Amino acid sequence: MAVDPSDDHDQLPCGTSADTLLDHLRKGAVTGHERTCPHCRAAAEEFRPLLAALGGEGEITAPPGLLDDVMRTVRAEGRSRQTLRLPGGGPGDTRVRHSAVSAMLRACVDPAEGLIVGRCRIEQTPDGLVVAATARVLSGTVIPEATAAARRAMGAFVQNRLGLRVGRIDIDVTDVIERPGRP
């Protein structure tokens, strides 16, 4: 296969342009070389997620029952009538229930970091939003690092998603639990 020297894109070891291969894969017009060449086949395998994301494998939908599960969880949350007023003001201002904000704050903390947030209470003060949460940590977790990561995640959510200032975020670690899969 002749290689165009003016083509400065990535070349596979066999000389095939990665862009050309991707174009052929998208059009369903793979050449005989591309079908049999180990380099082209390996690159085609790496392109599979990209092709799927480009719409080559149908519409992506939520698993059956997901909406029902989410709504059941939302309804199970405390029936707090307290609301948090989001910035913007004026007619038709946006208010969100404290229980919904608390659930979103719990969800923004990645349990893979070793911290599982439980109760989460919020209060809007003149200094900003104050968050008081309890958490359990997985054994072996460095508590100061995990709580700092949780504070950063919660703070980013408050500032970037709610548009509010952070007054303070307190996390009280109440328990250490064994990591799943440990004897």
Side-chain angles (χ1 to χ4, degrees):
M1 171 179 263
V3 177
D4 181 0
S6 66
D7 185 4
D8 63 333
H9 296 288
D10 292 334
Q11 299 289 319
L12 300 176
C14 64
T16 301
S17 163
D19 289 341
T20 301
L21 175 62
L22 183 58
D23 188 48
H24 290 168
L25 290 167
R26 288 183 68 200
K27 293 177 180 173
V30 179
T31 67
H33 165 82
E34 293 165 344
R35 260 191 297 282
T36 59
C37 171
H39 304 292
C40 291
R41 289 190 353 224
E45 190 60 34
E46 289 181 25
F47 288 147
R48 186 181 310 269
L50 175 62
L51 291 169
L54 291 173
E57 295 187 13
E59 183 179 331
I60 298 172
T61 59
L66 179 62
L67 178 60
D68 291 334
D69 291 344
V70 168
M71 292 311 298
R72 189 173 20 264
T73 302
V74 168
R75 287 184 199 106
E77 289 294 322
R79 300 291 183 198
S80 167
R81 298 276 182 227
Q82 291 182 302
T83 59
L84 183 67
R85 176 188 249 159
L86 300 182
D93 62 343
T94 302
R95 293 177 182 266
V96 181
R97 282 192 178 177
H98 281 208
S99 57
V101 172
S102 294
M104 290 184 282
L105 284 167
R106 283 193 300 275
C108 77
V109 176
D110 185 359
E113 301 276 334
L115 191 80
I116 301 165
V117 177
R119 182 184 54 81
C120 185
R121 304 214 176 172
I122 61 170
E123 180 184 355
Q124 200 164 18
T125 70
D127 295 330
L129 193 69
V130 173
V131 178
T134 61
R136 296 177 297 160
V137 294
L138 298 175
S139 62
T141 300
V142 179
I143 295 173
E145 291 175 13
T147 55
R151 281 187 191 91
R152 282 191 301 275
M154 289 178 164
F157 176 80
V158 169
Q159 291 175 351
N160 301 332
R161 301 294 292 198
L162 299 177
L164 298 171
R165 273 184 308 134
V166 175
R168 187 176 73 246
I169 299 175
D170 295 326
I171 300 174
D172 182 25
V173 175
T174 61
D175 196 14
V176 177
I177 57 176
E178 285 299 315
R179 288 186 182 271
R182 281 195 172 172

